[in-house]
Amino acid sequence: MWNAVVEDGMAFPQTDPLSPQEAAGFFAGQSLSAVAQGPDGAILGLYILHPNNLGRCGHIGNASYAVSRDSRGHGVEEALVRHCLASCRGMGFSILQFNAVVDSNKAALHLYEKLGFTHLGVIPGGFWDKTGAYQDIHLFYIQTP
């Protein structure tokens, strides 16, 4: 699922998919990797949570979300973000910050505003998408509950 989002080339900064060995190390290296499953056990989505920075800024978390193509628009995204927010404090993160929400990801932009994230601003042309176009990226943050 992570690789599908990478290969779509419209949301994650990575350009190369992860091999199974790389994925194991990548997900194990996160502060938290969480999965949303359907009643049949199918993975609907996942997220990673880790420090946005270190040291004196280590209390600021950062997360990335991947949702299966078939599950998008059915509330999985919101459930993942809410779970992430609920997990932040226990992991030492009093703030959750998103550094690069791509302008074409209207569903994410709407969701973060709906959940009370503060929009910090826009970096014009900050994301180079798979089509070769440069899209604006948005920065958001929220105090964790």
Side-chain angles (χ1 to χ4, degrees):
M1 183 177 314
W2 187 270
N3 283 345
V5 177
V6 170
E7 290 167 357
D8 284 347
M10 301 302 283
F12 287 173
Q14 296 90 348
T15 55
D16 298 319
L18 298 171
S19 70
Q21 298 81 10
E22 291 168 330
F26 176 75
F27 290 106
Q30 304 300 316
S31 300
L32 177 65
S33 295
V35 173
Q37 292 181 290
D40 62 354
I43 297 176
L44 306 176
L46 60 92
Y47 73 87
I48 59 170
L49 175 63
H50 51 264
N52 193 53
N53 211 317
L54 49 91
R56 298 184 195 282
C57 294
H59 63 286
I60 302 173
N62 179 269
S64 296
Y65 306 88
V67 175
S68 72
R69 289 180 182 117
D70 293 340
S71 299
R72 294 177 190 163
H74 298 286
V76 175
E77 302 90 340
E78 184 169 344
L80 288 169
V81 175
R82 288 185 182 280
H83 185 274
C84 181
L85 285 168
S87 301
C88 278
R89 281 284 176 168
M91 308 215 58
F93 301 124
S94 59
I95 299 170
L96 182 60
Q97 179 176 320
F98 301 140
N99 301 322
V101 182
V102 181
D103 192 61
S104 63
N105 192 347
K106 301 300 184 193
L109 294 170
H110 174 73
L111 176 61
Y112 302 147
E113 290 174 3
K114 172 185 169 183
L115 295 178
F117 282 77
T118 298
H119 186 251
L120 291 170
V122 175
I123 299 174
F127 183 83
W128 178 54
D129 73 26
K130 188 174 183 173
T131 72
Y134 288 90
Q135 292 193 47
D136 296 348
I137 54 175
H138 299 258
L139 288 79
F140 287 91
Y141 85 96
I142 193 168
Q143 299 282 328
T144 59

